[in-house]
């Protein structure tokens, strides 16, 4: 997804328990055809492990003839991670990929030295109307992979490990956690998981990674006696063992990893450890040096002045 201008998220209440470092309640932003809630980056938390961007898309309902239309735009230095709960998005990129993503599946696009892609609602769904609800995140690449060749990988729902028992269902999207390992190739140690808990079920989160967070999707949870509803990013302090209990049927995402191998700079859709590399990417897009997306004639122009963001 392209970086759209958005207000800074509103921070939540102060620490609700000692283990919680930051509580972020993203502000909803209307993009015309659908709304997003941006949890990362925020003024309180720039990154969680390699996660440098985290958006909730929807839930939205498209009427007849309507849909999502994110025109072709460029990326460098990151992987885009698209994961849906409802609906469908048609992905096209400059590698020639043309593939829909559906709930439970995973699109993992690695930009490396540069890629262009678009995200749209397919023509079939526009004729019937549709819904959209999901998450898109950007994972910064490690220094050794920042200039790697661009790539796209799609994983069917049954390719991702699922752990069940005691009222818990955990789909491990990427990385290693809970005694399982995802087949998704990552640039650095990390975890990304889709968790569903029945009311009363408890999920322990060991301090395997220094940087960890959960993003609440639906239902209600409690941590150390404090309750949290949907649409909140809870960033934990390193080293603490956390237990998440569902006070009603709940769904949330677990995300995190090891700290990055150095600062990262973010400008529009570009991520790099080197500011001069971002300047080069800006000029390359301005001069139409990026590869184009087959079948697409539109594109998103380079913004005039998006605020640069540096991490940490």
């Amino acid at each position: 997804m392209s970086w759209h201008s958005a207000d800074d998220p509103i921070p939540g209440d102060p620490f609700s328990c000692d283990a919680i470092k930051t509580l972020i309640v993203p502000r909803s932003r209307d993009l015309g055809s659908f709304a997003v809630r941006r949890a990362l980056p925020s003024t309180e938390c720039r990154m969680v492990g390699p996660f440098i961007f985290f958006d909730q898309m929807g839930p939205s309902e498209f009427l007849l003839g309507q849909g999502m239309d994110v025109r072709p735009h460029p990326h460098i230095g990151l992987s885009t991670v698209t994961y849906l709960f409802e609906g469908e998005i048609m992905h096209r990129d400059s590698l020639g990929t043309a593939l829909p993503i559906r709930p439970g599946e995973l699109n993992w696009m690695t930009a490396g030295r540069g890629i262009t892609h678009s995200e749209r609602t397919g023509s079939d769904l526009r004729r019937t109307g549709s819904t959209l609800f999901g998450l898109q995140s950007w994972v910064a690449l490690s220094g050794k992979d920042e200039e790697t060749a661009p790539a796209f990988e799609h994983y069917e729902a049954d390719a991702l490990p699922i752990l069940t028992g005691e009222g818990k269902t955990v789909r491990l999207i990427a990385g290693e956690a809970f005694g399982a390992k995802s087949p998704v190739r990552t640039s650095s140690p990390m975890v990304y998981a889709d968790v569903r808990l029945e009311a009363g079920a408890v999920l322990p989160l060991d301090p395997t990674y220094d940087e960890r967070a959960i993003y609440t999707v639906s239902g209600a949870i409690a941590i150390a006696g404090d309750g949290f509803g949907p649409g909140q990013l809870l960033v934990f302090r390193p080293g603490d063992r956390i237990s998440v209990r569902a006070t009603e049927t709940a769904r949330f995402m677990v995300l995190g990893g090891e700290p990055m191998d150095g600062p990262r700079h973010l400008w529009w859709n570009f991520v790099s450890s080197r500011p001069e590399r971002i300047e080069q990417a800006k000029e390359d897009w301005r001069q139409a040096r990026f590869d184009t997306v087959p079948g697409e004639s539109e594109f998103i122009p380079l913004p005039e002045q998006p605020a640069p963001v540096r991490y940490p």
Side-chain angles (χ1 to χ4, degrees):
M1 179 174 288
S2 176
W3 174 281
H4 298 272
S5 176
D7 299 326
D8 281 336
I10 301 173
D13 294 330
F15 309 137
S16 52
C17 73
D18 288 344
I20 296 179
K21 179 181 179 181
T22 308
L23 169 60
I24 299 168
V25 181
R27 179 177 299 174
S28 180
R29 183 79 171 186
D30 186 359
L31 298 184
S33 58
F34 65 103
V36 300
R37 292 177 174 85
R38 181 157 301 145
L40 292 175
S42 79
T43 54
E44 276 65 39
C45 181
R46 298 302 191 186
M47 295 182 71
V48 178
F51 288 85
I52 198 167
F53 177 98
F54 195 94
D55 259 8
Q56 174 183 320
M57 304 178 288
S60 298
E61 182 175 359
F62 300 126
L63 303 178
L64 294 178
Q66 295 181 342
M68 175 182 181
D69 279 301
V70 181
R71 295 168 292 162
H73 56 278
H75 290 289
I76 66 164
L78 57 86
S79 291
T80 65
V81 185
T82 306
Y83 188 77
L84 298 182
F85 306 124
E86 297 178 17
E88 180 180 304
I89 296 174
M90 188 66 187
H91 166 96
R92 291 184 174 87
D93 63 40
S94 50
L95 300 175
T97 310
L99 190 72
I101 180 171
R102 301 181 178 95
E105 301 174 351
L106 175 66
N107 274 9
W108 191 284
M109 185 186 76
T110 297
R113 59 177 175 259
I115 199 168
T116 309
H117 77 135
S118 65
E119 296 154 298
R120 300 182 185 271
T121 300
S123 56
D124 290 348
L125 291 180
R126 290 177 190 269
R127 288 193 289 268
T128 61
S130 63
T131 60
L132 181 65
F133 185 23
L135 301 168
Q136 184 163 91
S137 54
W138 297 351
V139 175
L141 298 177
S142 62
K144 64 181 175 57
D145 292 330
E146 283 189 299
E147 297 299 323
T148 192
F152 177 88
E153 293 178 278
H154 175 84
Y155 297 85
E156 298 290 341
D158 59 7
L160 304 177
I162 298 179
L163 299 88
T164 60
E166 300 177 327
K168 298 183 284 285
T169 301
V170 180
R171 182 189 295 272
L172 185 59
I173 300 169
E176 295 186 55
F178 313 110
K181 182 177 181 179
S182 168
V184 176
R185 291 182 292 176
T186 65
S187 181
S188 61
M190 60 171 289
V191 59
Y192 193 32
D194 176 7
V195 179
R196 283 173 283 186
L197 299 182
E198 297 175 8
V202 177
L203 180 75
L205 297 177
D206 291 331
T208 306
Y209 302 99
D210 282 348
E211 299 184 2
R212 300 165 297 157
I214 64 173
Y215 183 80
T216 55
V217 175
S218 61
I221 61 170
I223 300 174
D226 291 292
F228 305 93
Q232 300 181 67
L233 181 71
L234 312 179
V235 183
F236 301 121
R237 298 183 187 280
D240 287 343
R241 181 179 171 86
I242 309 296
S243 290
V244 182
R245 181 174 63 87
T247 54
E248 60 183 64
T249 300
R251 189 173 196 174
F252 57 89
M253 310 299 290
V254 177
L255 60 144
E258 294 303 313
M260 292 302 297
D261 54 1
R264 288 298 183 273
H265 307 273
L266 168 64
W267 193 96
W268 191 39
N269 304 319
F270 305 137
V271 171
S272 180
S273 60
R274 298 177 292 124
E276 63 272 18
R277 181 64 180 90
I278 290 181
E279 292 303 313
Q280 177 189 333
K282 290 162 62 175
E283 187 62 20
D284 287 344
W285 185 247
R286 188 181 290 114
Q287 298 298 329
R289 296 179 187 137
F290 276 80
D291 290 339
T292 59
V293 179
E296 291 273 15
S297 58
E298 300 179 296
F299 67 94
I300 299 177
L302 191 77
E304 292 296 326
Q305 291 294 334
V309 185
R310 295 174 174 83
Y311 305 88

